[in-house]
Amino acid sequence: MTLSDLIQQTEFESPALETLLNVVVTASWINGEMAAALAPHGITQAQYNVLRILRGQHPECYTCSDVGSRLLDRTPDVTRLLVRLEQRGLLHRQRADYDRRVVEVTISDEGLALLAELDAPVSEATRCIGRHLSADEHRTLANLLEKLRTDQE
């Protein structure tokens, strides 16, 4: 379905506005597809993102602020997100020996197992989402989105 069909609007103020609306609508659709892939496993996209960040650092730890700075979708309440994952046994939190104000986080064996279980469904969802684009089109789109996001000086 085209953007015009979806929002029932055929003319836009500018090509830039049409592009930005398309990015917003597409991001929402992608988020819905990814949420659907994760839902049967009882995990949100933000929780999945945290676990992937921690798996990338495993067996080393990250501080809570390190995790927060690497999240794809910035959330103001990283602590609550980490507490929920800890309650499910998917990660471990502990005060740092060098500074008791700092909390260090590591992924647990259960968290690693859940991610291993999620690798195939997430990969399949990613493949399905992008199936209509060639590898060159994916690279072009990634480059254009990066340019849109970073060339703001």
Side-chain angles (χ1 to χ4, degrees):
M1 177 179 288
T2 67
L3 176 64
S4 293
D5 292 337
L6 188 64
I7 66 172
Q8 299 175 10
Q9 180 177 333
T10 56
E11 297 196 17
F12 299 90
E13 179 182 310
S14 67
L17 178 60
E18 183 178 6
T19 299
L20 292 178
L21 290 173
N22 232 322
V23 168
V24 169
V25 167
T26 303
S28 178
W29 170 71
I30 290 170
N31 282 332
E33 294 295 308
M34 295 307 291
L38 297 171
H41 303 274
I43 191 164
T44 67
Q45 290 179 81
Q47 291 169 337
Y48 176 72
N49 188 205
V50 167
L51 293 176
R52 281 187 45 109
I53 290 166
L54 294 175
R55 177 171 66 179
Q57 184 74 357
H58 184 71
E60 302 300 318
C61 64
Y62 267 133
T63 65
C64 292
S65 59
D66 289 336
V67 171
S69 71
R70 298 198 58 205
L71 287 173
L72 296 175
D73 190 13
R74 302 288 185 232
T75 178
D77 204 353
V78 174
T79 301
R80 185 176 302 175
L81 185 59
L82 296 174
V83 166
R84 284 190 192 118
L85 289 167
E86 183 182 37
Q87 289 170 341
R88 289 188 55 190
L90 300 174
L91 59 79
H92 303 292
R93 293 181 323 133
Q94 65 183 26
R95 296 271 175 204
D97 291 334
Y98 64 89
D99 186 339
R100 301 294 294 160
R101 295 171 294 178
V102 175
V103 176
E104 297 176 324
V105 186
T106 56
I107 192 167
S108 68
D109 290 340
E110 293 84 356
L112 290 169
L114 177 60
L115 282 181
E117 188 179 321
L118 287 168
D119 284 341
V122 168
S123 181
E124 178 61 16
T126 302
R127 187 196 65 71
C128 285
I129 288 167
R131 71 184 176 276
H132 299 297
L133 299 179
S134 69
D136 284 342
E137 289 171 323
H138 278 286
R139 281 189 284 279
T140 298
L141 179 58
N143 289 336
L144 289 170
L145 291 171
E146 184 115 355
K147 185 176 182 179
L148 180 68
R149 190 181 67 255
T150 59
D151 288 352
Q152 297 299 317
E153 297 173 12

